[in-house]
mmCIF file of all heavy atoms in Angstrom:
data_model
loop_
_atom_site.group_PDB
_atom_site.id
_atom_site.type_symbol
_atom_site.label_atom_id
_atom_site.label_comp_id
_atom_site.label_asym_id
_atom_site.label_seq_id
_atom_site.Cartn_x
_atom_site.Cartn_y
_atom_site.Cartn_z
ATOM 1 N N THR J 325 -11.820 5.804 11.260
ATOM 2 C CA THR J 325 -12.419 6.012 12.581
ATOM 3 C C THR J 325 -13.742 6.756 12.469
ATOM 4 O O THR J 325 -14.737 6.387 13.116
ATOM 5 C CB THR J 325 -11.458 6.792 13.493
ATOM 6 O OG1 THR J 325 -10.239 6.048 13.630
ATOM 7 C CG2 THR J 325 -12.064 7.016 14.866
ATOM 8 N N ALA J 326 -13.779 7.792 11.646
ATOM 9 C CA ALA J 326 -15.013 8.559 11.462
ATOM 10 C C ALA J 326 -16.115 7.684 10.879
ATOM 11 O O ALA J 326 -17.277 7.747 11.310
ATOM 12 C CB ALA J 326 -14.753 9.760 10.552
ATOM 13 N N ASP J 327 -15.766 6.845 9.910
ATOM 14 C CA ASP J 327 -16.760 5.949 9.306
ATOM 15 C C ASP J 327 -17.304 4.959 10.334
ATOM 16 O O ASP J 327 -18.504 4.667 10.355
ATOM 17 C CB ASP J 327 -16.140 5.187 8.133
ATOM 18 C CG ASP J 327 -15.892 6.061 6.920
ATOM 19 O OD1 ASP J 327 -16.597 7.066 6.765
ATOM 20 O OD2 ASP J 327 -14.994 5.719 6.134
ATOM 21 N N LEU J 328 -16.425 4.418 11.163
ATOM 22 C CA LEU J 328 -16.861 3.454 12.168
ATOM 23 C C LEU J 328 -17.822 4.096 13.171
ATOM 24 O O LEU J 328 -18.814 3.482 13.572
ATOM 25 C CB LEU J 328 -15.652 2.864 12.894
ATOM 26 C CG LEU J 328 -14.734 1.969 12.046
ATOM 27 C CD1 LEU J 328 -13.529 1.521 12.863
ATOM 28 C CD2 LEU J 328 -15.495 0.769 11.502
ATOM 29 N N TYR J 329 -17.529 5.324 13.569
ATOM 30 C CA TYR J 329 -18.431 6.017 14.496
ATOM 31 C C TYR J 329 -19.764 6.333 13.832
ATOM 32 O O TYR J 329 -20.820 6.259 14.462
ATOM 33 C CB TYR J 329 -17.771 7.281 15.045
ATOM 34 C CG TYR J 329 -17.048 7.027 16.345
ATOM 35 C CD1 TYR J 329 -15.716 6.648 16.352
ATOM 36 C CD2 TYR J 329 -17.715 7.130 17.568
ATOM 37 C CE1 TYR J 329 -15.051 6.387 17.543
ATOM 38 C CE2 TYR J 329 -17.064 6.881 18.763
ATOM 39 C CZ TYR J 329 -15.735 6.502 18.746
ATOM 40 O OH TYR J 329 -15.090 6.224 19.930
ATOM 41 N N ARG J 330 -19.732 6.680 12.551
ATOM 42 C CA ARG J 330 -20.986 6.947 11.840
ATOM 43 C C ARG J 330 -21.858 5.699 11.810
ATOM 44 O O ARG J 330 -23.071 5.756 12.091
ATOM 45 C CB ARG J 330 -20.689 7.424 10.415
ATOM 46 C CG ARG J 330 -21.915 7.531 9.526
ATOM 47 C CD ARG J 330 -21.575 8.124 8.168
ATOM 48 N NE ARG J 330 -20.400 7.541 7.572
ATOM 49 C CZ ARG J 330 -20.364 6.371 6.946
ATOM 50 N NH1 ARG J 330 -21.482 5.644 6.858
ATOM 51 N NH2 ARG J 330 -19.253 5.914 6.403
ATOM 52 N N ILE J 331 -21.254 4.548 11.484
ATOM 53 C CA ILE J 331 -22.022 3.310 11.438
ATOM 54 C C ILE J 331 -22.488 2.912 12.838
ATOM 55 O O ILE J 331 -23.598 2.398 13.015
ATOM 56 C CB ILE J 331 -21.184 2.190 10.795
ATOM 57 C CG1 ILE J 331 -20.902 2.525 9.326
ATOM 58 C CG2 ILE J 331 -21.902 0.846 10.885
ATOM 59 C CD1 ILE J 331 -19.981 1.544 8.633
ATOM 60 N N PHE J 332 -21.659 3.173 13.838
ATOM 61 C CA PHE J 332 -22.050 2.864 15.210
ATOM 62 C C PHE J 332 -23.259 3.699 15.636
ATOM 63 O O PHE J 332 -24.203 3.186 16.256
ATOM 64 C CB PHE J 332 -20.876 3.117 16.154
ATOM 65 C CG PHE J 332 -21.147 2.755 17.589
ATOM 66 C CD1 PHE J 332 -21.288 1.439 17.975
ATOM 67 C CD2 PHE J 332 -21.263 3.739 18.555
ATOM 68 C CE1 PHE J 332 -21.530 1.095 19.299
ATOM 69 C CE2 PHE J 332 -21.506 3.416 19.881
ATOM 70 C CZ PHE J 332 -21.638 2.087 20.252
ATOM 71 N N ILE J 333 -23.242 4.980 15.290
ATOM 72 C CA ILE J 333 -24.381 5.857 15.595
ATOM 73 C C ILE J 333 -25.636 5.365 14.880
ATOM 74 O O ILE J 333 -26.730 5.327 15.458
ATOM 75 C CB ILE J 333 -24.054 7.314 15.203
ATOM 76 C CG1 ILE J 333 -22.988 7.881 16.144
ATOM 77 C CG2 ILE J 333 -25.307 8.181 15.235
ATOM 78 C CD1 ILE J 333 -22.427 9.213 15.699
ATOM 79 N N GLN J 334 -25.478 4.978 13.612
ATOM 80 C CA GLN J 334 -26.599 4.403 12.875
ATOM 81 C C GLN J 334 -27.131 3.163 13.585
ATOM 82 O O GLN J 334 -28.348 2.975 13.708
ATOM 83 C CB GLN J 334 -26.160 4.024 11.453
ATOM 84 C CG GLN J 334 -25.897 5.185 10.523
ATOM 85 C CD GLN J 334 -25.367 4.704 9.189
ATOM 86 O OE1 GLN J 334 -24.237 4.232 9.096
ATOM 87 N NE2 GLN J 334 -26.164 4.824 8.143
ATOM 88 N N SER J 335 -26.229 2.317 14.043
ATOM 89 C CA SER J 335 -26.631 1.076 14.702
ATOM 90 C C SER J 335 -27.396 1.356 15.980
ATOM 91 O O SER J 335 -28.426 0.714 16.262
ATOM 92 C CB SER J 335 -25.386 0.226 15.011
ATOM 93 O OG SER J 335 -24.696 -0.105 13.820
ATOM 94 N N LYS J 336 -26.915 2.293 16.774
ATOM 95 C CA LYS J 336 -27.608 2.661 18.014
ATOM 96 C C LYS J 336 -28.988 3.232 17.713
ATOM 97 O O LYS J 336 -29.978 2.904 18.375
ATOM 98 C CB LYS J 336 -26.775 3.690 18.789
ATOM 99 C CG LYS J 336 -25.559 3.131 19.491
ATOM 100 C CD LYS J 336 -25.980 2.278 20.680
ATOM 101 C CE LYS J 336 -24.796 1.838 21.510
ATOM 102 N NZ LYS J 336 -25.202 0.987 22.665
ATOM 103 N N ARG J 337 -29.060 4.094 16.744
ATOM 104 C CA ARG J 337 -30.325 4.748 16.397
ATOM 105 C C ARG J 337 -31.339 3.768 15.827
ATOM 106 O O ARG J 337 -32.539 3.834 16.139
ATOM 107 C CB ARG J 337 -30.061 5.863 15.369
ATOM 108 C CG ARG J 337 -31.277 6.666 14.951
ATOM 109 C CD ARG J 337 -31.004 7.470 13.689
ATOM 110 N NE ARG J 337 -30.780 6.601 12.534
ATOM 111 C CZ ARG J 337 -30.426 7.058 11.326
ATOM 112 N NH1 ARG J 337 -30.212 8.352 11.142
ATOM 113 N NH2 ARG J 337 -30.257 6.212 10.317
ATOM 114 N N ASP J 338 -30.852 2.835 14.991
ATOM 115 C CA ASP J 338 -31.750 1.983 14.217
ATOM 116 C C ASP J 338 -31.926 0.591 14.799
ATOM 117 O O ASP J 338 -32.594 -0.255 14.198
ATOM 118 C CB ASP J 338 -31.249 1.879 12.776
ATOM 119 C CG ASP J 338 -31.240 3.227 12.064
ATOM 120 O OD1 ASP J 338 -31.992 4.125 12.491
ATOM 121 O OD2 ASP J 338 -30.489 3.372 11.084
ATOM 122 N N GLY J 339 -31.312 0.315 15.954
ATOM 123 C CA GLY J 339 -31.515 -0.972 16.602
ATOM 124 C C GLY J 339 -30.711 -2.111 16.025
ATOM 125 O O GLY J 339 -31.146 -3.272 16.061
ATOM 126 N N LEU J 340 -29.531 -1.833 15.501
ATOM 127 C CA LEU J 340 -28.650 -2.870 14.965
ATOM 128 C C LEU J 340 -27.639 -3.297 16.020
ATOM 129 O O LEU J 340 -27.240 -2.503 16.880
ATOM 130 C CB LEU J 340 -27.887 -2.371 13.733
ATOM 131 C CG LEU J 340 -28.582 -2.373 12.377
ATOM 132 C CD1 LEU J 340 -29.756 -1.407 12.349
ATOM 133 C CD2 LEU J 340 -27.593 -2.017 11.279
ATOM 134 N N GLU J 341 -27.205 -4.540 15.929
ATOM 135 C CA GLU J 341 -26.137 -5.048 16.777
ATOM 136 C C GLU J 341 -24.819 -4.859 16.043
ATOM 137 O O GLU J 341 -24.606 -5.411 14.964
ATOM 138 C CB GLU J 341 -26.356 -6.521 17.110
ATOM 139 C CG GLU J 341 -27.627 -6.806 17.902
ATOM 140 C CD GLU J 341 -27.585 -6.203 19.298
ATOM 141 O OE1 GLU J 341 -26.466 -6.087 19.861
ATOM 142 O OE2 GLU J 341 -28.660 -5.860 19.830
ATOM 143 N N PHE J 342 -23.926 -4.062 16.620
ATOM 144 C CA PHE J 342 -22.668 -3.652 15.993
ATOM 145 C C PHE J 342 -21.571 -4.682 16.274
ATOM 146 O O PHE J 342 -21.352 -5.082 17.416
ATOM 147 C CB PHE J 342 -22.274 -2.282 16.546
ATOM 148 C CG PHE J 342 -21.019 -1.677 15.983
ATOM 149 C CD1 PHE J 342 -21.078 -0.808 14.907
ATOM 150 C CD2 PHE J 342 -19.775 -1.962 16.554
ATOM 151 C CE1 PHE J 342 -19.917 -0.226 14.400
ATOM 152 C CE2 PHE J 342 -18.616 -1.389 16.056
ATOM 153 C CZ PHE J 342 -18.680 -0.509 14.975
ATOM 154 N N HIS J 343 -20.874 -5.117 15.208
ATOM 155 C CA HIS J 343 -19.754 -6.054 15.346
ATOM 156 C C HIS J 343 -18.602 -5.564 14.468
ATOM 157 O O HIS J 343 -18.801 -5.288 13.282
ATOM 158 C CB HIS J 343 -20.136 -7.463 14.898
ATOM 159 C CG HIS J 343 -21.305 -8.052 15.614
ATOM 160 N ND1 HIS J 343 -22.619 -7.701 15.326
ATOM 161 C CD2 HIS J 343 -21.379 -8.984 16.590
ATOM 162 C CE1 HIS J 343 -23.437 -8.377 16.110
ATOM 163 N NE2 HIS J 343 -22.709 -9.174 16.876
ATOM 164 N N LEU J 344 -17.405 -5.485 15.040
ATOM 165 C CA LEU J 344 -16.236 -4.973 14.323
ATOM 166 C C LEU J 344 -15.036 -5.883 14.560
ATOM 167 O O LEU J 344 -14.773 -6.293 15.688
ATOM 168 C CB LEU J 344 -15.901 -3.558 14.816
ATOM 169 C CG LEU J 344 -14.542 -2.970 14.391
ATOM 170 C CD1 LEU J 344 -14.493 -2.741 12.884
ATOM 171 C CD2 LEU J 344 -14.262 -1.665 15.154
ATOM 172 N N THR J 345 -14.312 -6.192 13.488
ATOM 173 C CA THR J 345 -13.033 -6.874 13.621
ATOM 174 C C THR J 345 -12.033 -6.199 12.688
ATOM 175 O O THR J 345 -12.417 -5.559 11.702
ATOM 176 C CB THR J 345 -13.143 -8.381 13.310
ATOM 177 O OG1 THR J 345 -11.935 -9.043 13.705
ATOM 178 C CG2 THR J 345 -13.395 -8.634 11.833
ATOM 179 N N TYR J 346 -10.756 -6.352 13.006
ATOM 180 C CA TYR J 346 -9.719 -5.629 12.255
ATOM 181 C C TYR J 346 -8.384 -6.336 12.433
ATOM 182 O O TYR J 346 -8.236 -7.266 13.246
ATOM 183 C CB TYR J 346 -9.619 -4.182 12.732
ATOM 184 C CG TYR J 346 -9.577 -4.035 14.244
ATOM 185 C CD1 TYR J 346 -8.380 -4.115 14.949
ATOM 186 C CD2 TYR J 346 -10.751 -3.828 14.960
ATOM 187 C CE1 TYR J 346 -8.351 -3.997 16.329
ATOM 188 C CE2 TYR J 346 -10.733 -3.702 16.344
ATOM 189 C CZ TYR J 346 -9.527 -3.793 17.021
ATOM 190 O OH TYR J 346 -9.502 -3.689 18.391
ATOM 191 N N LEU J 347 -7.405 -5.899 11.673
ATOM 192 C CA LEU J 347 -6.064 -6.475 11.719
ATOM 193 C C LEU J 347 -5.422 -6.142 13.065
ATOM 194 O O LEU J 347 -5.274 -4.968 13.405
ATOM 195 C CB LEU J 347 -5.224 -5.915 10.565
ATOM 196 C CG LEU J 347 -3.801 -6.452 10.396
ATOM 197 C CD1 LEU J 347 -3.832 -7.946 10.102
ATOM 198 C CD2 LEU J 347 -3.098 -5.706 9.268
ATOM 199 N N PRO J 348 -5.039 -7.153 13.836
ATOM 200 C CA PRO J 348 -4.477 -6.878 15.163
ATOM 201 C C PRO J 348 -3.063 -6.308 15.081
ATOM 202 O O PRO J 348 -2.306 -6.585 14.142
ATOM 203 C CB PRO J 348 -4.477 -8.256 15.836
ATOM 204 C CG PRO J 348 -4.410 -9.230 14.707
ATOM 205 C CD PRO J 348 -5.179 -8.595 13.570
ATOM 206 N N ASP J 349 -2.706 -5.510 16.085
ATOM 207 C CA ASP J 349 -1.373 -4.908 16.127
ATOM 208 C C ASP J 349 -0.269 -5.951 16.220
ATOM 209 O O ASP J 349 0.891 -5.667 15.904
ATOM 210 C CB ASP J 349 -1.268 -3.949 17.322
ATOM 211 C CG ASP J 349 -2.094 -2.685 17.122
ATOM 212 O OD1 ASP J 349 -2.415 -2.373 15.956
ATOM 213 O OD2 ASP J 349 -2.417 -2.020 18.119
ATOM 214 N N SER J 350 -0.625 -7.163 16.643
ATOM 215 C CA SER J 350 0.376 -8.223 16.783
ATOM 216 C C SER J 350 0.917 -8.703 15.436
ATOM 217 O O SER J 350 1.976 -9.351 15.388
ATOM 218 C CB SER J 350 -0.220 -9.415 17.548
ATOM 219 O OG SER J 350 -1.362 -9.922 16.871
ATOM 220 N N PHE J 351 0.218 -8.391 14.346
ATOM 221 C CA PHE J 351 0.699 -8.778 13.022
ATOM 222 C C PHE J 351 1.815 -7.814 12.618
ATOM 223 O O PHE J 351 1.590 -6.615 12.458
ATOM 224 C CB PHE J 351 -0.432 -8.727 11.999
ATOM 225 C CG PHE J 351 -0.025 -9.175 10.622
ATOM 226 C CD1 PHE J 351 0.119 -10.520 10.330
ATOM 227 C CD2 PHE J 351 0.227 -8.250 9.619
ATOM 228 C CE1 PHE J 351 0.504 -10.939 9.060
ATOM 229 C CE2 PHE J 351 0.602 -8.654 8.350
ATOM 230 C CZ PHE J 351 0.742 -10.003 8.076
#
Side-chain angles (χ1 to χ4, degrees):
T325 300
D327 288 334
L328 293 176
Y329 268 90
R330 171 175 46 79
I331 295 175
F332 183 69
I333 291 170
Q334 289 176 290
S335 300
K336 285 289 187 181
R337 182 195 66 185
D338 297 337
L340 279 65
E341 297 294 330
F342 182 93
H343 303 78
L344 168 66
T345 191
Y346 47 86
L347 183 62
D349 289 339
S350 59
F351 183 77

